[in-house]
Amino acid sequence: MAGSQWEHPPELCCRPMAFVALTGLDVVYNAVHRAIWDAFCANRRADRVPISFKVLPGDHEYPKCRTKRTSYEWYIPKGILKTGWMNKHLNLVPALVVLFYELDWDDPQWKEKQSECATRVEIVRTSLQGRNTKVAVVLIQKKTPLPPGEDLVASEKASALCGSCDLSGKSLFVLPHTDHLVGYIIRLENAFYEHAQTYYYTEIRRVKSHKEFLNKTTHQLLFVRHQFKMAFLSELKQDTQNALKYYRAAHSLVHELRAHETNMLEIKTMAGFISYKICRLCFQHNTPLDAIAQFRKHIDLCKKKIGCAELAFEHSAWMSKQFQSFGELFDEAIKLGLTAIQTQNPGFYYQQAACYSQERKQMAQQLCQAGMTYPSPDPLDTQSGGLDFYGQRPWRQGHQSIDPTDPEKEKMGILALQIKERDVPHSELIIALLSNAVAQFKKYKCPRMKSHLMVQMGEEYYHAKDYTKALKLLDYVMCDYRTERWWPLLTAILTTALRCAYLMASVKDYIIYCMELLGRASTLKEEQKSRIEKNLFKVLMNKVPEAESECDPSSVSAARSLWSDRTALSGSNELTVEMQDYIPFIQCKARFQSPSFHVDQPIQLQVFLRADCPHPVSFSKLTVSLSNQEYNQWCVAESSGEESMTLLPGKPKRYNFSFVAKTEDVGKKVEMTGVEMMLGSDSGRCVFLSWRGAGGDAASTQEALQASRSSRRWGRGTEARQELDWDSLTLQHSTMIISRVPKICVQLSHQPPVLTNEMYCIILTVQSQEEAVAKDVKLTAGLKPGQEAGLGQTTHVTLDGSSVCDDNAPALLTDLPLGDLKPGEKLEKCVYMRCVSTGPRVFLFHVAYSIDTAVEGRHIVCKCHKDETVSVETVVPFEVSVKFVSTKFEPLERVAVDIPFLLMTDILSSSPWPLLLSSSSLQLLTITSNTAQLQSQLQQVVLQTGESASECFCLRCPPGTNNNNTVATGQYVISWRRKSSSADGPVIQTTATLPHVILESVPLYVYADLPSFGRVRESLPVRYHIDNRTAQVQEVEIAVDPSDAFMFSGLKQVHLRVLPGTEQQMLYNYYPLMAGYQTLPQLNISLPHCPTSSSTALRRFLPQRIFVKPQGRQPDDASITAA
Amino acid sequence: MAVCIAVIAKENYPLYIRSVPSQNELKFHYTVHTSLDVVEEKVSAVGKSLGDQRELYLGLLYPTEDYKVYGYVTNSKVKFVIVVDSSNTSLRDNEIRSMFRKLHNSFTDVMCNPFYNPGDPIQSKAFNGIVSGMMVQTG
């Protein structure tokens, strides 16, 4: 590759390692030797010493050492650094030669072998005449050696061998060929490494010692050379700190050299090498900032050292290489763990390298004229095929004076270099560097930098005439610039892309780029736009467009023929361009007039078009496609005959469409799926501009936002303006088709709230206000769906109000046919609701009908409906409370068996409407009524709000029921209805469950027969009954306490027996003395044999008090006696 | 003195961009555009940290061989970018700061104009004058 003269030589870029030559190993035929060699070279990981090993034959000829100079007095150096020097020390001159020899201590032919070994050592020594290279001997032995000092024979023989080979004891090694080969090898190479280090140390000393012979006037070059050599040898010694020091010294020395045109290249080349090494070592020492600083310094020093003006491209090439190799070093360091940042990453260096390569290309184009013939003989030819010194000219090697020796030769040389430069694939180099940079910037989050570089790559591909690749890249980044709205940049990219498309004769791309360059985002001048528009029309008419400016003339003629081939081709003259990805020169905004239309209205749709190009555009067809394709036929505008549709520049134009929706589409959305506009004609080329949805392109969203901002600021001013304001036009891409507005009146009348369980009547009145007959009127009534889940089970709807509906009635009656309704006719319907539970409910009344109507001359059957909802609360009509009391109206905790007691019921109305209680009844369990015929006391009672109705029943628990048990007592059923409801309406029965009671049995039952009142000083007979309820004879003691209010006659204290199941009667005659409520004399009853039942327990059955009326006043005697 | 001065909207499109006429205008556009990478990174890095009080001046965004690019972001995320020639070493950081401050003040005046609609390209003569004062005078 032609660019390779700028590449750094591989020996510069590698990591220098001590060179050790191994001889006496037959790695091809001897398995043992092969194994030893493998152990040396395999698995050279970082933990092993850095040595590069090479197997050489025993009689290998090492490079000859020139005789050492004793004086530099007459020596004039010919250059800075010989091209072969680094390689020589890396690969040719070993630091140590190791001779492998198979010899056991107890070898029978020890003497002969010893002398053979000595001979071999001698051969190596001769070949290394004059060098300081060390020699070492390794004896390959089959036996494991004894520990040192134990084997006397061995040590004796070893010293003998050393003596005959003239080796120090430290240079003789034994390698037993046993199991632990690798271990031995590692020990061996560590020893070799020490020897090598000593070698390089002495070499550095040797080079350093030259310094004193040098003088500053003639030996400047040698100062640099020696510093470089010491640095390189230090690197071989793995002494990188010192190496860095020497390199730095070399770097300052190289810049002290007198620079002139003839040696500029040499100085720059060496400066580049040294700087490369410094940066490399800095990265290795993990001081990246030092590396960057060094590189900056290096660049700043060399930037202006252009050298020969005719070969200025060489400087750019060299600069490019400097940046590239630094970028590579940086990248490598990152791979080894360095972290880079967004603003300091290898990408910048690759980018700059690319930049210099571009400069190189430009200079090469300027300086290298075509048509020159390559000079003969080739001035670039050297006898050796290469250069002696780095950075010199082949035609004057070793020449160090200021003026070139031979001006003619110089001229030829420059010409040869220029001609060579012409063949360099510059674009390839630039693209490679750019793509490296792109990869880096991608990594360090620089999307815009990446795009910028990709544009450059695309442009470079364009220059390299690879238009397909160029377009691919440009197309890719265009989108970014479009979304970021950097119009000048987008225009520049589009212009390049248009050239590519033209040169490739790619019709579709050409049309697209033309459209966008004509659009509002393009920053092109009017006359350019005008030219492009004309070209576009040519293409539309299937003609060849004019060439783009700034195109290579030879490419233009090739493109012309491509275009004429294209135009000659028949068929496939139609193409569709999706507009929303671009900012085309025709803008489109479509909208439905309203977000919803009634089915009996025509749907109106407007398409606004605007051309931004300098000349009028005519087109032949405009179509809108809708989600329901049946409507598409109504949304087509076509140019008819001569009259074509034309858009004037900058003038928005409106196209109206309208159509009648289908009745099936009621409740559905109609969406615009696209707007398509046809440019060109069938005879030429047809281009369909297709907008998705309701138009709009890549920039219109932002524009709409901006317009809304400004209109917000300026209030409603824009609406008042007569002229159409394009920016404030908004898209309306869908519309809802809704049913026709019903012209009926639905009224509900009812009396809330609903009372639980009643048949609640809602009267629905439907009156038609239509002008035609409303057909198929249907009613859906009931609980509105979507309410609380349980309501459906506790609500029942029926039309039959004559009886209480059962639980099977549905919660919603659907589609009850109500027949037809003539204009003005009225219809009434009662719907009954039964709500079992309380709480709020929403009832829905949905009246649907169909009607014939005409829209724009078309007859359609419209379905209309009207919904009425009503929300009602359900409440309980009344509250029922029940209690058991004794015959003395005292609350009862327990009910004694076979003793009468009372049941009190209380009905408290909570209904706002008067209630009519038609009857009530008891359904008793366990207990029975004390009276034969139970008759309701509440029949036909009317309860107003807050009023209550009570009943009282005398009951008895029949004997023989289980004692001490809680028993159910039955239910209380109340039949009622609203007072306002009709008399033949159903009666609702509400059941209240009576409370449970606890039963007990009493052994003795005492009760008294006494009149309801007494009168002062009139005898009051009282009969006490004592009833033995047990199976035993009961002894009873009865005593009567005296009372102030009464005198009495009868037994004051008595002891008697009551037989089982019989009763004893006691008769007393009380004589009241005082009027009013008086306490009766206490009857103390005690059962001496049954102490559990106390007197007080029995006394609760007996009356405590009686009302005594005052003495009746006789008109005759009382007043007279008083008088 | 600057060779290019740009005002970039919150959405990263240019509101105003002016460069010395003698040189390749497009190149400056690219330079300003690519510098937005660094601006965005710097702004988002600040957003994550606690300190609400962000310094508006972002400093040197990135150095190229030929130019130095400085950035400044207002609280409403409008960006100012100033490009200076690399050879111009006499400019101190303080001077750059004061240039940005001046620019910001003038931009505030533009925003205060009731006839200016935020987001539209800046066409103010006063602003243009301030910018001209900060640009390298050529010829």
Side-chain angles (χ1 to χ4, degrees):
Chain A
M1 191 177 139
S4 64
Q5 64 159 315
W6 304 109
E7 292 293 323
H8 286 316
E11 54 266 35
L12 183 76
C13 304
C14 69
R15 178 193 172 189
M17 289 194 287
F19 175 35
V20 172
L22 308 179
T23 68
L25 284 180
D26 180 3
V27 295
V28 184
Y29 297 108
N30 189 322
V32 175
H33 290 186
R34 178 85 220 171
I36 292 169
W37 172 235
D38 284 345
F40 272 116
C41 15
N43 279 329
R44 290 217 69 89
R45 286 189 312 254
D47 55 336
R48 288 178 68 172
V49 286
I51 300 181
S52 88
F53 288 106
K54 236 182 220 179
V55 170
L56 296 174
D59 53 354
H60 179 77
E61 290 275 336
Y62 298 97
K64 284 274 181 303
C65 183
R66 273 182 292 120
T67 48
K68 292 282 177 278
R69 211 179 296 280
T70 49
S71 152
Y72 279 88
E73 217 164 305
W74 298 104
Y75 176 66
I76 293 175
K78 290 178 170 170
I80 300 175
L81 186 66
K82 285 220 170 149
T83 48
W85 188 82
M86 282 187 283
N87 186 41
K88 190 168 84 180
H89 285 274
L90 283 171
N91 297 317
L92 300 177
V93 178
L96 173 73
V97 177
V98 185
L99 177 72
F100 283 84
Y101 192 70
E102 285 188 44
L103 181 60
D104 278 273
W105 298 127
D106 53 355
D107 196 280
Q109 293 169 306
W110 170 259
K111 271 272 179 264
E112 291 82 348
K113 294 237 172 146
Q114 183 185 332
S115 64
E116 193 197 332
C117 181
T119 321
R120 289 197 180 185
V121 169
E122 199 45 43
I123 292 168
V124 172
R125 284 235 172 87
T126 327
S127 173
L128 289 167
Q129 194 86 57
R131 300 221 176 260
N132 294 325
T133 305
K134 304 265 194 267
V135 179
V137 172
V138 176
L139 298 180
I140 304 172
Q141 296 191 335
K142 292 190 186 69
K143 289 183 187 147
T144 319
L146 294 167
E150 281 184 29
D151 194 348
L152 290 175
V153 184
S155 53
E156 191 184 298
K157 287 195 171 173
S159 62
L161 187 66
C162 282
S164 68
C165 296
D166 193 13
L167 278 175
S168 83
K170 283 183 178 169
S171 304
L172 180 68
F173 303 95
V174 171
L175 174 62
H177 180 63
T178 54
D179 298 340
H180 309 292
L181 185 62
V182 177
Y184 282 113
I185 295 288
I186 286 175
R187 277 164 66 181
L188 265 186
E189 63 181 30
N190 287 340
F192 295 168
Y193 183 61
E194 268 173 44
H195 279 293
Q197 293 236 322
T198 325
Y199 166 77
Y200 290 120
Y201 175 70
T202 49
E203 283 298 291
I204 294 165
R205 292 288 299 272
R206 199 172 59 77
V207 178
K208 216 180 225 171
S209 69
H210 297 326
K211 199 178 170 185
E212 53 193 284
F213 302 112
L214 309 180
N215 66 61
K216 288 231 163 173
T217 47
T218 47
H219 297 142
Q220 268 200 317
L221 299 178
L222 292 184
F223 280 109
V224 182
R225 182 192 296 175
H226 291 161
Q227 288 296 335
F228 184 86
K229 282 188 176 179
M230 288 194 293
F232 195 79
L233 290 168
S234 297
E235 273 198 276
L236 282 166
K237 193 176 165 250
Q238 308 304 320
D239 180 1
T240 51
Q241 293 295 350
N242 272 320
L244 191 57
K245 202 175 82 192
Y246 293 130
Y247 280 129
R248 284 197 194 276
H251 193 252
S252 60
L253 283 169
V254 82
H255 283 291
E256 282 172 22
L257 293 177
R258 272 191 302 268
H260 39 82
E261 246 179 50
T262 44
N263 72 349
M264 189 70 92
L265 183 62
E266 186 174 6
I267 289 174
K268 275 195 306 195
T269 308
M270 279 317 292
F273 284 6
I274 295 164
S275 185
Y276 176 82
K277 277 289 192 189
I278 295 173
C279 295
R280 199 186 150 89
L281 288 174
C282 286
F283 277 125
Q284 204 175 313
H285 291 160
N286 205 13
T287 51
L289 293 180
D290 286 357
I292 291 167
Q294 161 64 28
F295 183 71
R296 279 253 57 90
K297 190 172 128 198
H298 168 60
I299 291 301
D300 290 343
L301 283 169
C302 296
K303 210 180 199 170
K304 297 280 180 271
K305 294 190 173 167
I306 294 165
C308 175
E310 287 109 317
L311 296 174
F313 53 81
E314 282 193 332
H315 178 67
S316 304
W318 179 81
M319 286 295 278
S320 167
K321 183 65 213 170
Q322 299 305 303
F323 277 98
Q324 184 192 352
S325 54
F326 186 76
E328 280 162 2
L329 278 180
F330 201 165
D331 200 13
E332 224 163 87
I334 288 164
K335 276 178 197 145
L336 292 173
L338 185 73
T339 35
I341 52 168
Q342 192 191 34
T343 50
Q344 190 55 263
N345 71 59
F348 285 102
Y349 298 95
Y350 288 127
Q351 187 202 7
Q352 200 56 36
C355 197
Y356 275 110
S357 282
Q358 282 163 339
E359 200 177 293
R360 175 188 184 184
K361 188 177 90 170
Q362 280 166 11
M363 295 199 171
Q365 278 167 354
Q366 280 168 22
L367 296 169
C368 312
Q369 253 69 46
M372 302 296 276
T373 47
Y374 197 76
S376 169
D378 187 355
L380 302 186
D381 218 16
T382 54
Q383 285 171 335
S384 58
L387 293 170
D388 291 343
F389 287 93
Y390 284 117
Q392 295 195 341
R393 299 293 182 198
W395 61 87
R396 46 170 168 80
Q397 290 201 69
H399 176 83
Q400 286 293 339
S401 60
I402 292 174
D403 296 315
T405 37
D406 184 350
E408 194 55 36
K409 234 181 178 176
E410 190 73 19
K411 236 167 109 186
M412 285 297 116
I414 288 171
L415 181 63
L417 284 175
Q418 287 177 338
I419 289 171
K420 280 233 155 122
E421 182 70 15
R422 229 169 42 201
D423 301 333
V424 172
H426 291 110
S427 294
E428 248 174 59
L429 296 174
I430 296 166
I431 287 163
L433 287 170
L434 284 173
S435 74
N436 273 348
V438 165
Q440 294 292 336
F441 283 117
K442 202 170 174 180
K443 214 154 85 186
Y444 295 102
K445 286 194 234 162
C446 301
R448 295 179 185 87
M449 184 62 104
K450 195 187 111 195
S451 305
H452 175 39
L453 294 170
M454 283 169 80
V455 172
Q456 290 188 341
M457 274 171 86
E459 283 170 351
E460 211 47 60
Y461 273 120
Y462 162 70
H463 292 306
K465 301 198 166 69
D466 191 343
Y467 304 122
T468 324
K469 276 191 184 149
L471 273 192
K472 206 171 163 191
L473 278 165
L474 294 176
D475 219 36
Y476 183 83
V477 293
M478 238 181 252
C479 179
D480 295 340
Y481 288 100
R482 201 181 284 124
T483 46
E484 293 244 283
R485 301 161 51 77
W486 279 73
W487 307 138
L489 300 182
L490 178 65
T491 309
I493 298 165
L494 279 170
T495 313
T496 315
L498 181 66
R499 279 185 209 137
C500 290
Y502 170 74
L503 294 171
M504 283 166 79
S506 161
V507 178
K508 185 169 181 181
D509 290 330
Y510 188 84
I511 290 173
I512 290 171
Y513 299 138
C514 280
M515 284 181 179
E516 202 159 11
L517 279 171
L518 289 172
R520 60 200 189 282
S522 156
T523 55
L524 286 184
K525 295 214 172 54
E526 204 67 358
E527 65 258 29
Q528 277 170 302
K529 282 192 176 180
S530 160
R531 186 182 58 81
I532 289 171
E533 193 177 357
K534 279 176 188 151
N535 274 339
L536 177 61
F537 290 145
K538 275 192 183 161
V539 175
L540 288 179
M541 286 186 291
N542 211 7
K543 286 184 190 158
V544 180
E546 299 276 317
E548 287 302 308
S549 56
E550 291 173 48
C551 283
D552 185 29
S554 64
S555 318
V556 168
S557 59
R560 279 229 175 84
S561 68
L562 269 177
W563 274 102
S564 37
D565 290 353
R566 281 290 137 83
T567 49
L569 266 176
S570 56
S572 78
N573 276 346
E574 282 186 12
L575 50 97
T576 307
V577 184
E578 295 286 334
M579 286 299 160
Q580 62 284 330
D581 306 333
Y582 307 102
I583 306 172
F585 70 126
I586 294 176
Q587 296 183 67
C588 166
K589 286 182 180 183
R591 63 173 193 194
F592 286 105
Q593 284 277 61
S594 149
S596 62
F597 284 96
H598 291 289
V599 70
D600 56 340
Q601 290 173 312
I603 292 178
Q604 286 180 325
L605 172 76
Q606 298 175 321
V607 179
F608 297 90
L609 293 174
R610 193 174 97 151
D612 298 317
C613 50
H615 301 292
V617 188
S618 47
F619 61 98
S620 34
K621 200 172 172 186
L622 177 69
T623 58
V624 182
S625 37
L626 298 155
S627 52
N628 186 344
Q629 291 175 356
E630 286 174 59
Y631 300 136
N632 286 357
Q633 51 177 319
W634 309 106
C635 301
V636 179
E638 231 166 330
S639 65
S640 52
E642 294 305 296
E643 187 211 348
S644 66
M645 298 189 277
T646 307
L647 297 177
L648 295 175
K651 290 252 163 29
K653 198 156 180 179
R654 187 179 67 194
Y655 293 90
N656 291 327
F657 301 103
S658 80
F659 56 89
V660 179
K662 292 190 177 298
T663 46
E664 303 93 89
D665 278 353
V666 172
K668 288 184 193 162
K669 226 175 199 180
V670 177
E671 272 179 79
M672 285 191 229
T673 53
V675 180
E676 206 169 63
M677 174 177 174
M678 188 173 111
L679 279 186
S681 58
D682 296 327
S683 56
R685 209 178 272 282
C686 294
V687 179
F688 292 97
L689 310 188
S690 154
W691 286 269
R692 219 179 297 151
D697 49 44
S700 50
T701 330
Q702 172 70 26
E703 282 164 356
L705 189 72
Q706 193 67 19
S708 74
R709 270 187 208 159
S710 71
S711 68
R712 205 180 306 145
R713 199 173 249 222
W714 295 110
R716 305 188 171 273
T718 47
E719 282 166 35
R721 248 185 285 163
Q722 201 60 39
E723 205 186 324
L724 192 64
D725 181 38
W726 180 263
D727 285 333
S728 57
L729 270 179
T730 49
L731 307 181
Q732 172 72 46
H733 84 290
S734 66
T735 191
M736 193 80 188
I737 298 174
I738 51 181
S739 56
R740 179 175 172 278
V741 183
K743 290 182 188 160
I744 53 166
C745 177
V746 176
Q747 279 176 332
L748 300 174
S749 72
H750 58 121
Q751 293 174 309
V754 182
L755 304 178
T756 315
N757 276 329
E758 74 164 327
M759 295 299 282
Y760 185 69
C761 175
I762 298 179
I763 300 163
L764 173 87
T765 315
V766 181
Q767 180 158 28
S768 167
Q769 288 155 350
E770 293 282 359
E771 283 151 16
V773 178
K775 281 186 272 192
D776 281 340
V777 183
K778 278 179 182 161
L779 171 70
T780 297
L783 192 68
K784 191 178 179 189
Q787 296 183 73
E788 219 177 295
L791 285 181
Q793 275 80 50
T794 56
T795 311
H796 308 285
V797 182
T798 179
L799 292 178
D800 177 18
S802 60
S803 63
V804 176
C805 68
D806 58 3
D807 289 352
N808 295 327
L812 182 71
L813 291 172
T814 51
D815 291 336
L816 301 169
L818 301 181
D820 294 352
L821 208 57
K822 291 193 187 70
E825 199 180 354
K826 199 170 175 182
L827 187 147
E828 235 182 47
K829 195 88 188 166
C830 275
V831 182
Y832 295 90
M833 313 282 174
R834 180 168 162 252
C835 303
V836 180
S837 66
T838 57
R841 281 173 178 76
V842 179
F843 293 113
L844 168 76
F845 294 88
H846 171 98
V847 181
Y849 63 98
S850 60
I851 192 158
D852 288 338
T853 179
V855 190
E856 296 200 322
R858 299 211 312 147
H859 278 276
I860 53 169
V861 179
C862 292
K863 289 207 162 71
C864 303
H865 64 87
K866 183 142 189 177
D867 284 0
E868 281 293 327
T869 55
V870 59
S871 176
V872 278
E873 191 79 21
T874 303
V875 297
V876 286
F878 46 76
E879 269 153 45
V880 180
S881 58
V882 175
K883 61 185 176 197
F884 292 107
V885 291
S886 70
T887 44
K888 285 159 71 186
F889 292 99
E890 284 165 347
L892 272 184
E893 280 175 25
R894 288 154 186 270
V895 170
V897 175
D898 202 22
I899 292 172
F901 61 95
L902 298 178
L903 169 71
M904 305 275 291
T905 63
D906 200 19
I907 300 169
L908 173 68
S909 164
S910 54
S911 150
W913 309 98
L915 297 179
L916 176 73
L917 303 178
S918 59
S919 73
S920 67
S921 65
L922 276 177
Q923 293 172 351
L924 293 171
L925 282 171
T926 321
I927 48 175
T928 53
S929 171
N930 217 21
T931 39
Q933 188 71 44
L934 263 184
Q935 200 188 0
S936 173
Q937 292 141 313
L938 300 177
Q939 264 176 9
Q940 302 305 319
V941 169
V942 174
L943 277 184
Q944 300 290 341
T945 314
E947 287 181 343
S948 72
S950 296
E951 268 188 294
C952 186
F953 301 95
C954 185
L955 305 175
R956 177 197 285 270
C957 187
T961 34
N962 275 346
N963 293 348
N964 289 327
N965 252 354
T966 310
V967 292
T969 48
Q971 288 175 322
Y972 181 48
V973 181
I974 303 142
S975 305
W976 60 278
R977 60 184 171 85
R978 283 189 189 215
K979 187 168 180 278
S980 57
S981 67
S982 61
D984 54 348
V987 169
I988 303 109
Q989 295 203 318
T990 300
T991 308
T993 306
L994 299 177
H996 290 207
V997 292
I998 307 168
L999 295 182
E1000 67 171 353
S1001 58
V1002 284
L1004 207 65
Y1005 177 46
V1006 184
Y1007 65 99
D1009 279 342
L1010 82 167
S1012 51
F1013 62 90
R1015 204 181 278 271
V1016 175
R1017 291 191 205 140
E1018 271 182 28
S1019 163
L1020 176 74
V1022 176
R1023 188 187 297 273
Y1024 290 102
H1025 301 258
I1026 300 156
D1027 193 352
N1028 183 3
R1029 292 280 173 87
T1030 59
Q1032 285 117 31
V1033 178
Q1034 295 288 347
E1035 291 206 20
V1036 182
E1037 279 181 17
I1038 298 169
V1040 181
D1041 288 346
S1043 164
D1044 289 344
F1046 291 94
M1047 293 192 294
F1048 69 91
S1049 68
L1051 295 167
K1052 186 157 193 280
Q1053 189 164 21
V1054 69
H1055 184 105
L1056 49 90
R1057 285 201 181 96
V1058 187
L1059 292 177
T1062 59
E1063 72 166 33
Q1064 195 72 46
Q1065 295 186 355
M1066 307 276 290
L1067 183 70
Y1068 287 88
N1069 241 334
Y1070 291 145
Y1071 188 72
L1073 300 175
M1074 284 180 256
Y1077 273 111
Q1078 300 299 339
T1079 311
L1080 285 170
Q1082 289 285 311
L1083 196 68
N1084 285 319
I1085 305 168
S1086 61
L1087 303 176
H1089 297 291
C1090 186
T1092 46
S1093 59
S1094 66
S1095 161
T1096 43
L1098 289 171
R1099 213 184 282 157
R1100 70 189 152 127
F1101 300 117
L1102 294 177
Q1104 296 287 310
R1105 295 187 302 178
I1106 194 163
F1107 185 75
V1108 180
K1109 290 183 175 179
Q1111 204 167 17
R1113 195 170 281 177
Q1114 251 84 46
D1116 41 70
D1117 61 329
S1119 55
I1120 291 163
T1121 28
Chain B
M1 287 282 135
V3 289
C4 176
I5 289 176
V7 181
I8 311 294
K10 177 171 164 260
E11 296 86 357
N12 284 338
Y13 64 89
L15 292 176
Y16 181 92
I17 184 158
R18 180 137 161 248
S19 52
V20 283
S22 60
Q23 293 174 52
N24 187 354
E25 204 183 342
L26 210 57
K27 190 168 134 192
F28 286 119
H29 278 68
Y30 277 121
T31 307
V32 172
H33 185 240
T34 48
S35 74
L36 293 179
D37 284 337
V38 188
V39 173
E40 293 233 305
E41 189 71 17
K42 286 200 174 191
V43 169
S44 70
V46 167
K48 281 174 214 150
S49 71
L50 272 170
D52 280 340
Q53 205 60 43
R54 179 175 60 84
E55 219 207 326
L56 304 180
Y57 178 57
L58 298 180
L60 181 66
L61 295 181
Y62 72 96
T64 65
E65 262 327 90
D66 312 313
Y67 302 108
K68 284 183 186 145
V69 187
Y70 295 89
Y72 184 96
V73 181
T74 70
N75 285 321
S76 54
K77 298 277 188 295
V78 171
K79 293 123 191 153
F80 299 136
V81 176
I82 293 183
V83 184
V84 178
D85 209 297
S86 274
S87 57
N88 191 345
T89 48
S90 60
L91 265 182
R92 308 236 155 258
D93 203 49
N94 257 347
E95 293 170 62
I96 302 280
R97 271 175 199 271
S98 77
M99 278 164 83
F100 275 126
R101 217 164 297 132
K102 248 161 89 184
L103 208 57
H104 195 172
N105 286 340
S106 184
F107 177 73
T108 315
D109 291 344
V110 170
M111 293 297 284
C112 291
N113 176 357
F115 296 99
Y116 174 74
N117 186 23
D120 283 351
I122 297 172
Q123 279 152 342
S124 154
K125 274 185 193 157
F127 189 79
N128 211 20
I130 293 282
V131 169
S132 300
M134 288 193 273
M135 298 282 276
V136 170
Q137 306 301 320
T138 48

